[in-house]
Amino acid sequence: MRVDIVTIFPTFFDVLDISLIGKARGSGLLDIRAHDLRDWTHDRHRTVDDTPYGGGAGMVMKPEPWGEALDALLTPEAVLIVPSPAGEVFTQPTARELSAEAHLVFACGRYEGIDQRVIDHYAQSHRVRLISLGDYVLNGGEVAAMAMVEAVSRLIPGVVGNPASLVEESHEDGLLEYPSYTKPAQWRGEDVPPVLLSGNHGAIAQWRRDRSLERTERVRPDLLPEAPGA
Ligand SMILES: Nc1cc(-c2ccc3ccn(Cc4ccc(CN5CCCCC5)cc4)c3c2)n[nH]1
C-alpha cells in the first residue's frame, strides 16, 4: 500500500519510521511518505492560508497549494482522505475497508480547515472521504491521519507479526476485548482467573466470550448486536 500525507508539519510523521510501521516500510509492504504543502507554494512567505470569505475568526487554507499538491500525488485509484470534525466517524470497519486500498492520500488541514472547493473539485474525479476521529475538535488533521494510518497499516498482512492477534481484539468482532493476564500467577495478592490456567480451551473460550459481552454491556452497550444501529 502507498500512503501519501500532505501537511504543513511533515516532521510530525517521522515517528512512522520506528516500530512495526517502520519495519513494514523497510520491507516494502508499506510506502508511506509525508509531504510539505509549502513545497507547492510560490511566494516568498510560502503562504498557505488567508482570511475567510464571509468573515469569522481564524484563517482558511488556500485552494491553490492544495490543488498543485494533490494534482502531483493523486493517482486514479487513490482514495483522498480529509480528516475533518465534519466527517464520518472512523471505525474499525472503516479501517478494514481502507486497508484493502492500493493508495491513500491524506490531506491534513490546519487553521479552520481547507477551502471547500478543493474537496468539491477532487470529488468529481476521485473517491473523497471526510473522516472524523471522534466528537472533539483537534487543531489539525495530523493526529487523526496518524491514528488512521496506524489502524489501517496494522491490518495489512505481514505488517503485524501475528495475524491471529488481529482477530481477537476490541471491535474486530464488534465487541470489546476480554481482559488479558500473564505471569506471575499471583501479583499483589491477586490471582489470575483459574480457568485460564486450566488448559480447558473450551472453557477458556467461553470465559473470554462472557467477559467480552459483560464488558461491552457495561462500557459500550451501543455495540451490542441487538442494539439499534449496531
Ligand atoms: N475528529 C476531529 C478532526 C479534527 C480536525 C481535522 C482537521 C482539521 C483542520 C483544522 N482543524 C481545526 C479546526 C477545524 C474546525 C473548526 C471549526 N470551525 C468552525 C467555523 C467554521 C470553520 C471551522 C475549528 C478548528 C481540524 C480539526 N478535529 N477533530
Side-chain angles (χ1 to χ4, degrees), residues 106-193:
F106 287 85
C108 297
R110 276 275 155 169
Y111 307 100
E112 297 287 315
I114 302 170
D115 187 301
Q116 181 61 36
R117 289 170 293 180
V118 176
I119 286 96
D120 297 344
H121 172 75
Y122 288 101
Q124 295 168 38
S125 53
H126 288 79
R127 290 171 294 162
V128 179
R129 295 182 73 166
L130 267 64
I131 303 185
S132 163
L133 209 50
D135 295 333
Y136 39 83
V137 183
L138 301 166
N139 281 334
E142 286 81 9
V143 166
M146 181 72 84
M148 292 186 234
V149 166
E150 179 159 317
V152 170
S153 302
R154 64 192 301 277
L155 295 177
I156 294 170
V159 173
V160 170
N162 175 9
S165 67
L166 294 181
V167 176
E168 289 188 283
E169 58 189 18
S170 270
H171 302 292
E172 264 317 308
D173 61 358
L175 301 176
L176 300 185
E177 84 262 20
Y178 50 78
S180 295
Y181 303 83
T182 186
K183 292 187 277 299
Q186 285 81 33
W187 180 70
R188 295 190 181 180
E190 295 290 331
D191 293 348
V192 169

